[in-house]
Amino acid sequence: MQKKYAERIKTLVKSLNSKQKAYVNLNLKNPQNGEYLLTVSHLVPSKGLNILQAAAEVAAESSTGTNFKVKTETPFSRELNALVYKLDLKRNLVWIAYPWRIFDRGGNIQNILTFIVGNVLGMKEVSALKMLDVWFPSSMLEHYDGPSYTLDDMRNYLNVYDRPILGTIIKPKIGLTAAEYAEVCYDFWSGGGDFVKNDEPQANQDFCEYSKMVKFVKKAMDKAVKETGHKKVHSFNVSAPDFDEMIRRCELIRNAGFEKGSYAFLIDGITAGWMAVQTLRRRYPDVFIHFHRAAHGAFTRPENPIGFSVLVLSKFARLAGASGIHTGTAGIGKMKGSPKEDIVAAKNILHLAAKGHFFNQTWAQVPAKDEQVLQLVKEDHAHHLVLEDDSWRGMKKCCPIISGGLNPTKLKPFIKTMGEVNFITTMGAGVHAHPKGTHAGAKALVQACEAYKKGIDINEYAKTHKELRDAIKFFSKNKKPMEHVSNTEKS
Ligand code: CAP
Ligand code: MG
């Protein structure tokens, strides 16, 4: 079997033209030596090409090349070629190593994505090209921002440690006046909820003028904090037509009297773009940067043969410095998803090390095997001579934000699927469709969380908690038809 496979590989290599040969090295020594960003993609070649020829064309187009070998190449430029270094012919998988020095200096995520999932997604040479996993060497990580204000900071602010942060999105998605919007915020916070977010398209609409919305939310928050004795957070959507307007909205919030920690900046990272995400991270390291991923489906849906996975999107969000990104409900809510996709993504952005679909990623900035550096760090640890802060230890965590068709009856099933409580959950309809309204919806969510923490079955707990009882009755009776569709099923 091995022999036959080796023969097939040899034939494929022989089929390469001189240009393609420069983008293939199936004997690449130690691709994880720190020089390369590594990717693995599912690739189906278009008619007339075999998988290695198509992969070589992808490696060329996504690094130094184009469709013909050019006379202007130099020995140095050839050193920067991306290299196809591994194939799995059975599963149509290709591994490509990118010398990460080709990327714009200064930690630019937009530039990396323009290289590796830019033109190549439109190439004639492939009929399917989906990046499934990506691997960053430790040596690369220290050049990228990573998160600054994290879930831990939010937990400290809210004094909430042993459960998910309980949130909502104000619904209707759009159409409330600023005062009506703030009322709903108050109803949720006074019902015991921690976190409210603007919905992803909420901006500066004429019926809900931005500065008024901010002002009224502040009033609602102050009232709720006073009455409940608990801190609250509001995530304001600062996505805007241009950077100046985005910053204006941020400054408007920062000058509205909110205390540090009580507000987050939400950015529609796909439609507003990576520069917006990184601008917010760099300008406001003391604020939770909330990456909403509206439109990600164009790249990530499982039935979509062209694009990249939720894992790849989420890992780049952490690299860019998002404090949190939506990672999906593993199919428990209304959106397409599966534990294999959504939970793997959530774990990879939350922890210092995690298994991906193909790579084990550590986010430590000191290469584990680099004895000398580790020795230095040990000394520093003892004498604080070399490094001031401990960010060398690793890129800070990025918080999974779990949302989309959830309601109190789905909280425990999701926690069990996730296997931990380190996430923010935001339930829109799951709170505001409650038969007794938002305040009761918030109480039902809090009660569902209490039941989970006490290890009491939710139906048992509902016997003595009427808001939860009403929620169970309503959401169980009104199961959406799509909820019965198994989430791994191809749509
Ligand atoms: C959820 C939501 C979120 C989606 C985003 C919505 O509302 O506000 O934007 O969850 O999906 O507009 O649908 P509901 P994802 O709670 O009422 O469903 O988190 O998968 O990116
Ligand atoms: Mg939304």
Side-chain angles (χ1 to χ4, degrees), residues 169 171 173 197 199-200 292-293 296 326 328 334-335 401 403-406 426-429:
I169 313 106
K171 303 285 178 180
K173 189 172 275 244
K197 70 180 275 292
D199 220 334
E200 70 282 354
H292 192 288
R293 59 179 187 169
H296 74 95
H326 290 237
K334 73 184 180 188
M335 302 287 193
I401 300 169
S403 176
L406 293 179
T426 57
M427 300 186 188

Side-chain angles (χ1 to χ4, degrees), residues 31-32 36-39 133-137 315 359-362:
Q32 295 197 323
Y36 303 103
L37 171 148
L38 305 178
T39 69
D133 204 348
V134 62
W135 182 80
F136 310 120
K315 287 176 82 168
F359 297 119
N360 293 340
Q361 178 72 54
T362 62

Side-chain angles (χ1 to χ4, degrees), residues 49 154 189 191 212 401 416:
L49 281 178
M154 188 180 285
W189 281 323
K212 248 201 222 145
I401 300 169
K416 284 177 75 58

